[in-house]
Amino acid sequence: MRLTQLRSFHAVATTGSFTRAAEALHVSQPTVTTQVGQLETLYKVELFHRSGRRVVPTEIGERLLQLSRQMFDLEAEAVQLLRETGELRSGHLRVAAVGPSHATKMLVAFNQRYPGVKISVTTGNSQDVLDRLADYSADVGVLAQVSLDKRFVSVPYSEHPVVIFCNAAHPFARRRSIRTAELQGEKLILREEGSTTRKAIESALRAAGVEPEVVMEVASREIIREAVAQGVGVAAVSDVEFVPGPGLHAVRISDAQVRTYAHVACLAERRDARMVRAFFEAIGMEV
């Protein structure tokens, strides 16, 4: 059975006329008559009682009409879905980000332009973001480093200095800035391997010949924040990710350019996907 044959049957059954069916389908009446006849011949059934100009579905015709109604209703829904998604009146944007602070401004800009699109966000370090892009579980990524992997394209979005934060009882809490050398022997809480913030502070410490005492390696920003508040040690964080609070204090590093960067990335093969390109356009970037 061909879909055109079923479509002709459905048009005749719903309009009650071969002539009106042909008009609805924008084809000739002989075409509709032929296609319905082919369907009846192919399956050796009678789909309509024909009496003059009166066309009434037979019992099998009525049963087939119920099925064809379901099929063409679903087809109409599929067309509507595709149109709305293509026009971004609906759909789903999946964002992977190194942290909410980097992505929030971008998400607000996209939501204002495309309020009908659902947005979901997952967080992790930069490698996690790239992994999610690579396995198609994210459409765009917001990360703190440029990947040399040619599978990805990325554009710079912003840069942020790394600060050291401590609790209120720490000597640094009375300062606005410190020198890198002052971290010598300090109890330091580090992010996990793969964190760009960790790479930035470790690079600065090596360049200055400073060896702090690493007391913890933690993947969770919340746990690091709590550990610092409890006096376990000090930690490095991008200033945009530092959340001020009672008992916490941030100081800048005065003698070194310790920075992290926000880049927006996607798979190179998906750079022209409608949803991906719309995200870059919404944040004022070209990919």
Side-chain angles (χ1 to χ4, degrees):
M1 178 183 67
R2 295 179 179 176
L3 187 60
T4 53
Q5 295 169 339
L6 184 61
R7 199 180 299 279
S8 288
F9 158 80
H10 182 81
V12 174
T14 53
T15 63
S17 162
F18 280 86
T19 300
R20 287 194 292 271
E23 291 172 353
L25 296 175
H26 304 291
V27 297
S28 67
Q29 181 177 329
T31 297
V32 174
T33 302
T34 298
Q35 290 177 342
V36 172
Q38 289 172 339
L39 202 56
E40 290 178 315
T41 300
L42 179 62
Y43 293 101
K44 300 180 176 59
V45 294
E46 185 181 20
L47 297 174
F48 295 104
H49 294 301
R50 300 166 176 81
S51 178
R53 295 184 177 180
R54 187 164 174 256
V55 180
V56 180
T58 62
E59 180 180 352
I60 187 64
E62 287 286 359
R63 290 169 62 186
L64 183 59
L65 177 60
Q66 292 177 16
L67 295 174
S68 65
R69 254 197 205 104
Q70 295 177 39
M71 288 180 61
F72 293 123
D73 283 349
L74 287 173
E75 180 187 49
E77 287 183 28
V79 170
Q80 182 179 4
L81 171 66
L82 293 172
R83 283 177 177 166
E84 288 183 353
T85 302
E87 296 168 1
L88 297 185
R89 287 186 285 124
S90 66
H92 184 191
L93 173 71
R94 301 162 303 164
V95 179
V98 291
S101 54
H102 288 295
T104 302
K105 184 178 179 181
M106 304 179 201
L107 299 179
V108 169
F110 183 85
N111 176 255
Q112 289 176 341
R113 185 174 292 194
Y114 304 106
V117 176
K118 174 185 174 183
I119 303 173
S120 60
V121 183
T122 56
T123 58
N125 62 37
S126 292
Q127 188 57 53
D128 293 330
V129 172
L130 293 175
D131 289 343
R132 290 191 177 104
L133 291 174
D135 68 11
Y136 303 98
S137 59
D139 302 303
V140 293
V142 182
L143 66 163
Q145 63 185 25
V146 175
S147 173
L148 299 179
D149 190 326
K150 293 184 179 179
R151 292 178 299 167
F152 306 101
V153 292
S154 64
V155 294
Y157 182 76
S158 59
E159 63 177 89
H160 310 277
V162 171
V163 298
I164 300 296
F165 72 107
C166 59
N167 72 358
H170 195 281
F172 290 169
R174 297 187 293 274
R175 308 267 299 277
R176 289 188 176 182
S177 65
I178 62 171
R179 298 182 305 279
T180 310
E182 294 180 79
L183 291 171
Q184 178 69 39
E186 280 290 336
K187 293 181 178 179
L188 182 63
I189 303 169
L190 288 178
R191 287 285 305 276
E192 78 285 4
E193 290 284 353
S195 162
T196 306
T197 302
R198 173 172 176 162
K199 292 177 181 177
I201 192 64
E202 286 183 328
S203 177
L205 292 172
R206 282 194 303 270
V210 172
E211 295 184 6
E213 180 187 348
V214 178
V215 293
M216 280 189 182
E217 294 184 5
V218 184
S220 166
R221 291 178 177 83
E222 291 74 19
I223 294 176
I224 292 177
R225 178 182 168 84
E226 185 60 28
V228 170
Q230 295 296 325
V232 175
V234 301
V237 66
S238 170
D239 69 340
V240 72
E241 294 179 340
F242 176 66
V243 181
L248 292 176
H249 181 74
V251 294
R252 295 187 177 274
I253 301 172
S254 62
D255 61 342
Q257 293 291 315
V258 189
R259 295 182 175 275
T260 61
Y261 302 84
H263 300 267
V264 186
C266 67
L267 275 175
E269 67 186 62
R270 299 197 63 217
R271 66 194 305 168
D272 290 321
R274 182 71 179 94
M275 190 74 74
V276 172
R277 184 164 290 279
F279 183 82
F280 279 89
E281 291 173 351
I283 63 174
M285 310 296 289
E286 292 185 7
V287 62

